[in-house]
Amino acid sequence: MNYGQPHGVLLFFAKGRNWPREDRKACLAAQKEFYHQLQQQGKVLQTGQQIHEECLFVSLSISSDAELCAILANDPAIRAEISQVIHAVPFTS
């Protein structure tokens, strides 16, 4: 698979280094809103809550790995190190 071409990716998030911060819930809410906005743009196929976790999973449709890196660089919870990506699974549809 050429990851430079359009493809999908499943992202699984986990607690980040700054998970204990007092503003965690606000950061996680901002993260959900961030992916909701991307869903409105047709980039997010599905989001959900992991069972027994406060962390998300997100299914994205991206044009390249560079686009994925740009999306993750703008994720508010990742920037605050409240959450981190523990698995990124590419797929084709």
Side-chain angles (χ1 to χ4, degrees):
M1 176 175 188
N2 180 351
Y3 297 121
Q5 298 299 315
H7 62 281
V9 65
L10 294 172
L11 299 175
F12 296 90
F13 294 88
K15 297 173 182 176
R17 183 174 68 102
N18 290 332
W19 184 261
R21 282 181 30 176
E22 290 181 21
D23 64 343
R24 176 182 75 232
K25 292 201 183 288
C27 283
L28 293 175
Q31 182 184 48
K32 284 183 183 179
E33 179 57 30
F34 174 73
Y35 288 106
H36 177 73
Q37 289 174 2
L38 288 175
Q39 189 170 31
Q40 300 300 321
Q41 298 170 21
K43 291 292 176 189
V44 171
L45 306 173
Q46 184 176 8
T47 64
Q49 210 66 32
Q50 296 180 46
I51 295 177
H52 308 298
E53 293 284 336
E54 291 183 63
C55 300
L56 289 177
F57 74 86
V58 177
S59 174
L60 291 169
S61 175
I62 56 174
S63 60
S64 67
D65 284 353
E67 182 181 25
L68 174 60
C69 289
I71 288 171
L72 294 177
N74 289 303
D75 179 316
I78 289 177
R79 284 195 328 251
E81 297 184 10
I82 297 292
S83 76
Q84 63 183 337
V85 175
I86 56 167
H87 296 291
V89 182
F91 67 89
T92 57
S93 51

Coordinates of all heavy atoms in Angstrom, one line a residue:
M1 N 0.8 -1.2 0.0 CA 0.0 0.0 0.0 C 0.9 1.2 0.0 O 1.8 1.3 0.8 CB -0.9 0.0 1.2 CG -1.8 1.2 1.4 SD -2.9 0.9 2.8 CE -3.9 2.3 2.6
N2 N 0.6 2.2 -0.8 CA 1.3 3.4 -0.9 C 0.6 4.4 0.0 O -0.5 4.9 -0.3 CB 1.3 4.0 -2.3 CG 2.1 5.3 -2.5 OD1 2.4 5.9 -1.5 ND2 2.3 5.7 -3.7
Y3 N 1.2 4.7 1.2 CA 0.5 5.6 2.2 C 0.6 7.0 1.8 O 0.0 7.9 2.4 CB 1.2 5.4 3.5 CG 1.0 4.0 4.1 CD1 2.1 3.2 4.4 CD2 -0.3 3.4 4.2 CE1 1.9 1.9 4.8 CE2 -0.4 2.1 4.7 CZ 0.7 1.4 5.0 OH 0.5 0.1 5.4
G4 N 1.2 7.4 0.7 CA 1.2 8.7 0.1 C -0.1 9.0 -0.6 O -0.4 10.1 -1.0
Q5 N -0.8 8.0 -1.0 CA -2.1 8.1 -1.7 C -3.3 8.1 -0.8 O -3.2 7.8 0.4 CB -2.2 6.9 -2.7 CG -1.1 6.8 -3.7 CD -1.1 8.0 -4.6 OE1 -2.1 8.5 -5.1 NE2 0.1 8.6 -4.8
P6 N -4.5 8.5 -1.3 CA -5.6 8.5 -0.4 C -5.9 7.1 0.2 O -5.8 6.1 -0.4 CB -6.8 8.9 -1.3 CG -6.1 9.6 -2.4 CD -4.7 9.0 -2.6
H7 N -6.2 7.2 1.5 CA -6.6 5.9 2.2 C -7.3 6.3 3.6 O -7.4 7.5 3.9 CB -5.3 5.1 2.5 CG -4.3 5.7 3.4 ND1 -3.4 6.7 2.8 CD2 -4.0 5.6 4.7 CE1 -2.6 7.1 3.8 NE2 -2.9 6.4 4.9
G8 N -7.7 5.3 4.3 CA -8.3 5.5 5.6 C -7.3 5.2 6.7 O -6.3 4.5 6.4
V9 N -7.6 5.6 7.8 CA -6.8 5.3 9.0 C -7.7 5.3 10.2 O -8.5 6.1 10.4 CB -5.6 6.2 9.2 CG1 -6.0 7.6 9.5 CG2 -4.6 5.7 10.2
L10 N -7.5 4.2 11.0 CA -8.2 4.1 12.3 C -7.2 4.6 13.4 O -6.1 4.1 13.5 CB -8.6 2.7 12.6 CG -9.7 2.1 11.7 CD1 -9.8 0.6 12.0 CD2 -11.0 2.8 11.9
L11 N -7.6 5.5 14.2 CA -6.8 6.1 15.2 C -7.3 5.6 16.6 O -8.5 5.8 16.8 CB -6.7 7.6 15.2 CG -6.1 8.2 14.0 CD1 -6.3 9.7 14.0 CD2 -4.7 7.8 13.8
F12 N -6.5 5.1 17.4 CA -6.9 4.8 18.8 C -6.1 5.6 19.7 O -4.9 5.6 19.7 CB -6.7 3.3 19.0 CG -7.6 2.4 18.2 CD1 -7.2 2.0 17.0 CD2 -8.9 2.0 18.6 CE1 -8.0 1.2 16.1 CE2 -9.7 1.3 17.8 CZ -9.2 0.8 16.6
F13 N -6.8 6.3 20.6 CA -6.1 7.2 21.5 C -6.1 6.6 22.9 O -6.9 5.8 23.3 CB -6.9 8.5 21.6 CG -6.9 9.3 20.3 CD1 -7.8 9.1 19.4 CD2 -5.9 10.3 20.1 CE1 -7.8 9.8 18.2 CE2 -5.9 11.0 19.0 CZ -6.8 10.8 18.0
A14 N -5.1 7.0 23.7 CA -4.9 6.6 25.1 C -4.5 7.8 25.9 O -4.3 8.9 25.4 CB -3.9 5.5 25.2
K15 N -4.5 7.6 27.2 CA -4.1 8.7 28.1 C -2.7 9.2 27.8 O -1.8 8.4 27.6 CB -4.2 8.2 29.6 CG -5.6 7.8 30.0 CD -5.5 7.2 31.4 CE -6.9 6.8 31.7 NZ -7.0 6.1 33.0
G16 N -2.5 10.5 27.8 CA -1.2 11.1 27.5 C -0.5 11.4 28.8 O -1.0 11.2 29.9
R17 N 0.7 11.9 28.7 CA 1.6 12.3 29.8 C 0.9 13.3 30.8 O 1.1 13.2 32.0 CB 2.9 12.9 29.2 CG 3.9 13.2 30.3 CD 5.2 13.7 29.6 NE 5.0 15.0 28.9 CZ 5.4 16.1 29.4 NH1 6.1 16.2 30.5 NH2 5.3 17.2 28.7
N18 N 0.1 14.2 30.3 CA -0.6 15.2 31.1 C -2.0 14.8 31.5 O -2.8 15.7 31.8 CB -0.5 16.5 30.4 CG 0.8 17.1 30.4 OD1 1.7 16.8 31.2 ND2 1.1 17.9 29.3
W19 N -2.4 13.6 31.4 CA -3.7 13.1 31.7 C -4.3 13.7 33.1 O -5.4 14.1 33.1 CB -3.8 11.6 31.7 CG -5.2 11.1 31.9 CD1 -5.8 10.6 33.0 CD2 -6.2 11.0 30.9 NE1 -7.1 10.2 32.8 CE2 -7.4 10.5 31.5 CE3 -6.3 11.3 29.6 CZ2 -8.6 10.2 30.8 CZ3 -7.5 11.1 28.9 CH2 -8.6 10.6 29.5
P20 N -3.5 13.7 34.1 CA -4.0 14.2 35.4 C -4.3 15.7 35.5 O -4.8 16.2 36.5 CB -2.8 13.9 36.4 CG -2.0 12.9 35.7 CD -2.1 13.2 34.2
R21 N -4.0 16.5 34.4 CA -4.3 17.9 34.5 C -5.8 18.2 34.8 O -6.7 17.5 34.4 CB -3.9 18.6 33.1 CG -2.5 18.8 33.0 CD -2.1 19.4 31.7 NE -3.0 20.4 31.1 CZ -2.7 21.1 30.0 NH1 -1.5 20.9 29.4 NH2 -3.6 21.9 29.5
E22 N -6.0 19.3 35.5 CA -7.3 19.7 35.9 C -8.2 20.1 34.7 O -9.4 19.9 34.8 CB -7.2 20.9 36.8 CG -6.7 20.5 38.2 CD -6.6 21.7 39.1 OE1 -7.4 22.7 38.9 OE2 -5.8 21.7 40.1
D23 N -7.6 20.5 33.6 CA -8.4 20.9 32.4 C -8.6 19.7 31.4 O -9.0 20.0 30.3 CB -7.8 22.1 31.7 CG -6.4 21.8 31.2 OD1 -5.8 20.8 31.6 OD2 -6.0 22.6 30.3
R24 N -8.4 18.5 31.9 CA -8.5 17.3 31.0 C -9.8 17.3 30.3 O -9.9 17.1 29.1 CB -8.2 16.1 31.8 CG -8.4 14.8 30.9 CD -8.3 13.5 31.7 NE -9.4 13.3 32.6 CZ -9.3 13.0 33.9 NH1 -8.1 13.0 34.5 NH2 -10.4 12.8 34.6
K25 N -10.9 17.4 31.1 CA -12.2 17.3 30.4 C -12.5 18.4 29.4 O -13.1 18.1 28.3 CB -13.3 17.3 31.5 CG -13.3 16.1 32.4 CD -14.6 15.9 33.1 CE -14.5 14.7 34.0 NZ -14.5 13.4 33.4
A26 N -12.0 19.6 29.6 CA -12.1 20.6 28.6 C -11.3 20.3 27.3 O -11.8 20.5 26.2 CB -11.7 22.0 29.2
C27 N -10.1 19.7 27.5 CA -9.3 19.3 26.4 C -9.9 18.2 25.6 O -9.9 18.2 24.4 CB -7.9 18.9 26.8 SG -6.8 20.3 27.3
L28 N -10.5 17.2 26.3 CA -11.1 16.1 25.6 C -12.4 16.6 24.9 O -12.7 16.1 23.8 CB -11.5 15.0 26.6 CG -10.3 14.3 27.2 CD1 -10.7 13.3 28.3 CD2 -9.4 13.6 26.2
A29 N -13.1 17.5 25.5 CA -14.3 18.1 24.8 C -13.8 18.9 23.5 O -14.5 18.8 22.5 CB -15.0 19.0 25.7
A30 N -12.7 19.6 23.6 CA -12.2 20.3 22.4 C -11.7 19.3 21.4 O -11.9 19.6 20.2 CB -11.0 21.2 22.9
Q31 N -11.2 18.2 21.8 CA -10.8 17.1 20.8 C -12.0 16.6 20.1 O -12.0 16.4 18.9 CB -10.1 16.0 21.6 CG -9.5 14.9 20.6 CD -8.9 13.8 21.4 OE1 -9.5 13.3 22.4 NE2 -7.7 13.4 21.0
K32 N -13.1 16.3 20.8 CA -14.3 15.8 20.2 C -14.8 16.8 19.2 O -15.3 16.4 18.1 CB -15.4 15.5 21.3 CG -15.1 14.2 22.0 CD -16.2 13.9 23.0 CE -15.9 12.7 23.8 NZ -17.0 12.3 24.7
E33 N -14.8 18.1 19.6 CA -15.3 19.1 18.7 C -14.4 19.2 17.4 O -14.9 19.4 16.3 CB -15.4 20.5 19.4 CG -15.9 21.6 18.6 CD -17.2 21.4 17.9 OE1 -18.1 20.7 18.5 OE2 -17.4 22.0 16.8
F34 N -13.1 19.1 17.6 CA -12.2 19.1 16.5 C -12.5 18.1 15.5 O -12.6 18.3 14.3 CB -10.8 19.0 17.1 CG -9.7 18.8 16.0 CD1 -9.3 19.9 15.3 CD2 -9.1 17.6 15.8 CE1 -8.3 19.8 14.3 CE2 -8.1 17.5 14.8 CZ -7.7 18.6 14.1
Y35 N -12.7 16.8 15.9 CA -13.1 15.7 15.0 C -14.5 15.9 14.5 O -14.7 15.5 13.3 CB -12.8 14.4 15.6 CG -11.3 14.2 15.8 CD1 -10.6 14.2 17.0 CD2 -10.5 13.9 14.6 CE1 -9.3 14.0 17.1 CE2 -9.1 13.8 14.7 CZ -8.5 13.8 15.9 OH -7.2 13.7 16.0
H36 N -15.4 16.5 15.2 CA -16.7 16.7 14.7 C -16.6 17.7 13.5 O -17.3 17.6 12.5 CB -17.6 17.3 15.8 CG -19.0 17.7 15.3 ND1 -19.9 16.7 15.0 CD2 -19.6 18.9 15.1 CE1 -21.0 17.3 14.6 NE2 -20.8 18.6 14.6
Q37 N -15.8 18.8 13.7 CA -15.6 19.7 12.6 C -15.0 19.0 11.3 O -15.4 19.3 10.2 CB -14.7 20.9 13.0 CG -15.4 21.8 14.0 CD -14.5 22.9 14.5 OE1 -13.3 22.9 14.1 NE2 -15.0 23.7 15.4
L38 N -14.1 18.1 11.5 CA -13.5 17.4 10.4 C -14.5 16.4 9.8 O -14.5 16.2 8.6 CB -12.3 16.6 10.9 CG -11.0 17.4 11.2 CD1 -9.9 16.4 11.7 CD2 -10.5 18.1 10.0
Q39 N -15.5 15.9 10.6 CA -16.5 15.1 10.1 C -17.5 15.9 9.2 O -17.9 15.4 8.1 CB -17.4 14.5 11.2 CG -18.4 13.5 10.8 CD -19.0 12.7 12.0 OE1 -19.1 13.3 13.0 NE2 -19.3 11.5 11.8
Q40 N -17.7 17.2 9.5 CA -18.5 18.1 8.7 C -17.8 18.3 7.3 O -18.5 18.6 6.3 CB -18.8 19.4 9.4 CG -19.5 19.3 10.7 CD -20.9 18.7 10.5 OE1 -21.6 18.9 9.6 NE2 -21.3 17.8 11.4
Q41 N -16.5 18.2 7.3 CA -15.7 18.4 6.1 C -15.5 17.1 5.3 O -14.9 17.1 4.3 CB -14.3 19.0 6.4 CG -14.4 20.3 7.1 CD -13.0 20.7 7.6 OE1 -11.9 20.2 7.2 NE2 -13.0 21.6 8.6
G42 N -16.1 16.0 5.8 CA -16.0 14.7 5.1 C -14.7 14.0 5.4 O -14.4 12.9 4.8
K43 N -13.9 14.4 6.4 CA -12.6 13.7 6.7 C -12.8 12.6 7.7 O -12.0 11.7 7.7 CB -11.6 14.7 7.2 CG -11.1 15.7 6.2 CD -10.3 14.9 5.2 CE -9.8 15.8 4.0 NZ -9.2 15.0 3.0
V44 N -13.8 12.7 8.6 CA -14.0 11.7 9.6 C -15.2 10.9 9.2 O -16.2 11.4 8.9 CB -14.2 12.4 11.0 CG1 -14.7 11.4 12.0 CG2 -13.0 13.1 11.5
L45 N -14.9 9.6 9.2 CA -16.0 8.6 8.9 C -16.8 8.2 10.1 O -18.0 8.1 10.0 CB -15.4 7.4 8.2 CG -14.4 7.7 7.0 CD1 -13.8 6.4 6.6 CD2 -15.2 8.3 5.9
Q46 N -16.1 8.1 11.2 CA -16.8 7.6 12.4 C -15.9 8.0 13.6 O -14.7 7.9 13.6 CB -17.0 6.1 12.4 CG -17.8 5.6 13.6 CD -18.1 4.1 13.4 OE1 -17.6 3.5 12.5 NE2 -18.9 3.6 14.3
T47 N -16.5 8.3 14.8 CA -15.8 8.5 16.0 C -16.6 7.7 17.1 O -17.7 7.4 16.9 CB -15.7 9.9 16.5 OG1 -17.0 10.4 16.8 CG2 -15.0 10.8 15.5
G48 N -15.9 7.3 18.1 CA -16.6 6.6 19.2 C -15.7 6.7 20.4 O -14.5 7.0 20.4
Q49 N -16.3 6.2 21.5 CA -15.6 6.1 22.8 C -15.1 4.7 23.0 O -15.9 3.8 22.7 CB -16.6 6.5 23.9 CG -16.1 7.1 25.1 CD -15.5 8.5 24.9 OE1 -15.9 9.2 24.0 NE2 -14.4 8.8 25.6
Q50 N -13.9 4.5 23.4 CA -13.4 3.2 23.7 C -14.1 2.7 25.0 O -14.3 3.4 25.9 CB -11.9 3.2 23.8 CG -11.2 3.5 22.6 CD -9.7 3.5 22.7 OE1 -9.2 2.6 23.3 NE2 -9.1 4.6 22.3
I51 N -14.4 1.4 25.0 CA -15.1 0.8 26.2 C -14.1 0.9 27.4 O -12.9 0.6 27.2 CB -15.5 -0.6 25.9 CG1 -16.6 -0.6 24.8 CG2 -16.0 -1.3 27.2 CD1 -17.1 -2.0 24.4
H52 N -14.6 1.3 28.5 CA -13.8 1.4 29.7 C -12.8 2.5 29.7 O -11.8 2.4 30.5 CB -13.2 0.1 30.1 CG -14.2 -1.1 30.2 ND1 -15.3 -1.1 31.0 CD2 -14.3 -2.2 29.5 CE1 -16.0 -2.2 30.9 NE2 -15.4 -2.9 29.9
E53 N -12.9 3.4 28.8 CA -11.9 4.5 28.6 C -12.6 5.8 28.3 O -13.7 5.8 27.8 CB -10.9 4.2 27.4 CG -10.0 3.0 27.6 CD -8.9 3.3 28.6 OE1 -8.5 4.4 28.7 OE2 -8.3 2.3 29.2
E54 N -12.0 6.9 28.7 CA -12.5 8.2 28.3 C -11.9 8.6 26.9 O -12.2 9.7 26.4 CB -12.1 9.3 29.3 CG -12.7 9.1 30.6 CD -12.4 10.2 31.6 OE1 -12.6 11.4 31.3 OE2 -11.8 9.9 32.6
C55 N -11.1 7.7 26.3 CA -10.4 8.1 25.1 C -11.2 7.7 23.8 O -12.0 6.8 23.9 CB -9.1 7.4 25.0 SG -8.0 7.9 26.4
L56 N -10.9 8.4 22.7 CA -11.6 8.2 21.5 C -11.0 7.2 20.6 O -9.8 6.8 20.8 CB -11.6 9.5 20.7 CG -12.4 10.7 21.1 CD1 -12.1 11.9 20.2 CD2 -13.9 10.4 21.1
F57 N -11.8 6.7 19.6 CA -11.2 6.1 18.4 C -11.8 6.9 17.3 O -13.0 7.4 17.4 CB -11.4 4.6 18.3 CG -12.9 4.2 17.9 CD1 -13.3 4.2 16.6 CD2 -13.8 3.9 18.9 CE1 -14.6 3.9 16.2 CE2 -15.1 3.6 18.6 CZ -15.5 3.5 17.2
V58 N -11.1 7.1 16.2 CA -11.5 7.9 15.1 C -11.1 7.2 13.8 O -10.0 6.7 13.7 CB -10.8 9.3 15.1 CG1 -11.2 10.2 13.9 CG2 -11.2 10.1 16.4
S59 N -12.1 7.2 12.8 CA -11.8 6.7 11.5 C -11.7 7.9 10.6 O -12.7 8.6 10.4 CB -12.9 5.7 11.1 OG -12.7 5.3 9.8
L60 N -10.6 8.1 9.9 CA -10.4 9.2 9.0 C -10.2 8.8 7.6 O -9.7 7.7 7.3 CB -9.1 9.9 9.4 CG -9.0 10.7 10.7 CD1 -7.6 11.1 11.0 CD2 -9.9 11.9 10.6
S61 N -10.6 9.6 6.7 CA -10.3 9.5 5.3 C -9.3 10.6 4.9 O -9.6 11.8 5.1 CB -11.6 9.7 4.4 OG -11.3 9.6 3.1
I62 N -8.1 10.2 4.5 CA -7.0 11.2 4.3 C -6.4 11.0 2.9 O -6.5 9.9 2.3 CB -5.9 11.1 5.4 CG1 -5.3 9.7 5.4 CG2 -6.4 11.5 6.7 CD1 -4.2 9.5 6.3
S63 N -5.8 12.1 2.4 CA -5.2 12.0 1.1 C -3.8 11.5 1.1 O -3.3 11.1 0.1 CB -5.3 13.4 0.5 OG -4.6 14.3 1.2
S64 N -3.1 11.6 2.3 CA -1.7 11.2 2.4 C -1.4 11.1 3.9 O -2.1 11.7 4.8 CB -0.8 12.1 1.7 OG -0.8 13.4 2.4
D65 N -0.2 10.5 4.2 CA 0.2 10.5 5.6 C 0.6 12.0 6.1 O 0.5 12.3 7.2 CB 1.4 9.6 5.7 CG 1.0 8.1 5.8 OD1 -0.2 7.9 5.8 OD2 1.9 7.3 5.8
A66 N 1.0 12.8 5.1 CA 1.3 14.2 5.5 C 0.0 14.9 6.0 O 0.1 15.7 7.0 CB 1.8 15.0 4.3
E67 N -1.1 14.6 5.4 CA -2.4 15.1 5.9 C -2.7 14.6 7.3 O -3.1 15.4 8.2 CB -3.5 14.8 4.9 CG -4.9 15.4 5.4 CD -6.0 15.1 4.5 OE1 -6.0 14.1 3.8 OE2 -7.0 15.9 4.5
L68 N -2.4 13.4 7.5 CA -2.7 12.8 8.9 C -1.8 13.5 9.9 O -2.3 13.9 11.0 CB -2.4 11.3 8.9 CG -2.4 10.6 10.2 CD1 -3.8 10.8 10.9 CD2 -2.0 9.2 10.1
C69 N -0.5 13.7 9.6 CA 0.4 14.4 10.5 C -0.1 15.8 10.8 O -0.1 16.3 11.9 CB 1.8 14.5 9.9 SG 2.6 12.9 9.9
A70 N -0.7 16.5 9.8 CA -1.2 17.9 10.0 C -2.4 17.8 10.9 O -2.6 18.7 11.8 CB -1.6 18.5 8.6
I71 N -3.3 16.8 10.7 CA -4.5 16.7 11.5 C -4.1 16.5 13.0 O -4.5 17.2 13.9 CB -5.4 15.6 11.0 CG1 -6.1 16.0 9.7 CG2 -6.4 15.2 12.1 CD1 -6.8 14.9 9.0
L72 N -3.2 15.5 13.2 CA -2.7 15.2 14.6 C -2.0 16.4 15.2 O -2.1 16.6 16.4 CB -1.8 14.0 14.6 CG -2.5 12.7 14.2 CD1 -1.5 11.6 14.2 CD2 -3.7 12.4 15.1
A73 N -1.3 17.2 14.4 CA -0.6 18.4 15.0 C -1.6 19.4 15.5 O -1.3 20.3 16.3 CB 0.3 19.0 13.9
N74 N -2.8 19.4 15.0 CA -3.9 20.4 15.3 C -4.9 19.8 16.4 O -5.8 20.6 16.8 CB -4.6 20.9 14.1 CG -3.7 21.8 13.3 OD1 -3.2 22.8 13.8 ND2 -3.5 21.4 12.0
D75 N -4.7 18.6 16.8 CA -5.6 18.0 17.7 C -5.3 18.6 19.1 O -4.2 18.5 19.6 CB -5.4 16.5 17.8 CG -6.2 15.7 18.8 OD1 -6.4 16.2 20.0 OD2 -6.7 14.7 18.5
P76 N -6.3 19.3 19.7 CA -6.1 20.0 21.0 C -5.6 19.1 22.1 O -4.8 19.5 22.9 CB -7.4 20.7 21.3 CG -8.4 20.2 20.3 CD -7.7 19.5 19.2
A77 N -6.1 17.9 22.2 CA -5.7 17.0 23.3 C -4.3 16.5 23.1 O -3.6 16.2 24.1 CB -6.7 15.9 23.5
I78 N -3.9 16.3 21.9 CA -2.6 15.8 21.6 C -1.6 16.9 21.9 O -0.5 16.7 22.5 CB -2.4 15.3 20.2 CG1 -3.2 13.9 20.0 CG2 -0.9 15.1 19.8 CD1 -3.2 13.4 18.6
R79 N -1.9 18.1 21.5 CA -1.0 19.3 21.7 C -0.8 19.5 23.2 O 0.3 19.9 23.6 CB -1.6 20.6 21.1 CG -1.4 20.6 19.6 CD -1.7 22.0 19.0 NE -2.6 22.8 19.7 CZ -3.9 23.1 19.2 NH1 -4.2 22.7 18.0 NH2 -4.7 23.8 19.9
A80 N -1.9 19.3 24.0 CA -1.8 19.5 25.4 C -1.2 18.2 26.1 O -1.0 18.2 27.3 CB -3.1 19.8 26.0
E81 N -0.9 17.2 25.3 CA -0.4 15.9 25.9 C -1.4 15.3 26.9 O -1.0 14.5 27.8 CB 1.0 16.0 26.4 CG 2.0 16.4 25.4 CD 3.4 16.5 25.9 OE1 3.7 16.0 27.0 OE2 4.3 17.0 25.1
I82 N -2.7 15.5 26.7 CA -3.7 14.9 27.5 C -4.0 13.5 26.9 O -4.3 12.6 27.6 CB -5.0 15.7 27.5 CG1 -4.8 17.1 28.1 CG2 -6.2 15.0 28.1 CD1 -4.6 17.1 29.6
S83 N -3.9 13.4 25.6 CA -4.1 12.1 24.9 C -3.0 11.9 23.9 O -2.3 12.8 23.5 CB -5.4 11.9 24.3 OG -5.6 12.6 23.1
Q84 N -2.8 10.6 23.5 CA -1.8 10.3 22.5 C -2.4 9.1 21.7 O -3.3 8.4 22.1 CB -0.5 9.8 23.2 CG -0.7 8.5 24.1 CD 0.5 8.1 24.8 OE1 1.6 8.5 24.4 NE2 0.4 7.4 25.9
V85 N -1.9 9.0 20.5 CA -2.3 8.0 19.6 C -1.5 6.7 19.9 O -0.2 6.8 19.9 CB -2.0 8.3 18.1 CG1 -2.3 7.2 17.2 CG2 -2.9 9.5 17.7
I86 N -2.1 5.6 20.2 CA -1.4 4.4 20.6 C -1.4 3.4 19.4 O -0.5 2.6 19.3 CB -1.9 3.7 21.8 CG1 -3.4 3.4 21.7 CG2 -1.6 4.5 23.0 CD1 -3.9 2.5 22.8
H87 N -2.4 3.5 18.5 CA -2.5 2.7 17.3 C -3.0 3.6 16.1 O -4.0 4.3 16.3 CB -3.4 1.5 17.4 CG -3.0 0.5 18.5 ND1 -1.9 -0.3 18.3 CD2 -3.5 0.2 19.6 CE1 -1.7 -1.0 19.4 NE2 -2.7 -0.8 20.2
A88 N -2.4 3.5 15.0 CA -2.8 4.1 13.8 C -2.8 3.0 12.7 O -1.8 2.6 12.3 CB -2.0 5.3 13.4
V89 N -4.0 2.5 12.3 CA -4.1 1.4 11.4 C -4.6 1.9 10.1 O -5.8 2.3 9.9 CB -5.1 0.3 12.0 CG1 -5.2 -0.9 11.1 CG2 -4.7 0.0 13.4
P90 N -3.8 1.8 9.0 CA -4.2 2.2 7.7 C -5.1 1.2 7.1 O -5.0 0.0 7.3 CB -2.9 2.4 6.9 CG -2.0 1.5 7.6 CD -2.4 1.4 9.1
F91 N -6.0 1.6 6.2 CA -6.9 0.7 5.5 C -7.3 1.3 4.1 O -7.3 2.5 4.0 CB -8.1 0.3 6.3 CG -9.1 1.4 6.6 CD1 -10.1 1.7 5.7 CD2 -8.9 2.2 7.7 CE1 -11.0 2.7 6.0 CE2 -9.8 3.2 8.0 CZ -10.9 3.5 7.1
T92 N -7.7 0.5 3.2 CA -8.3 0.9 2.0 C -9.8 0.5 2.0 O -10.2 -0.5 2.6 CB -7.6 0.3 0.7 OG1 -7.7 -1.1 0.8 CG2 -6.2 0.8 0.7
S93 N -10.6 1.3 1.3 CA -12.0 0.9 1.3 C -12.4 0.3 0.0 O -11.7 0.2 -1.0 CB -12.9 2.2 1.5 OG -12.5 3.2 0.7

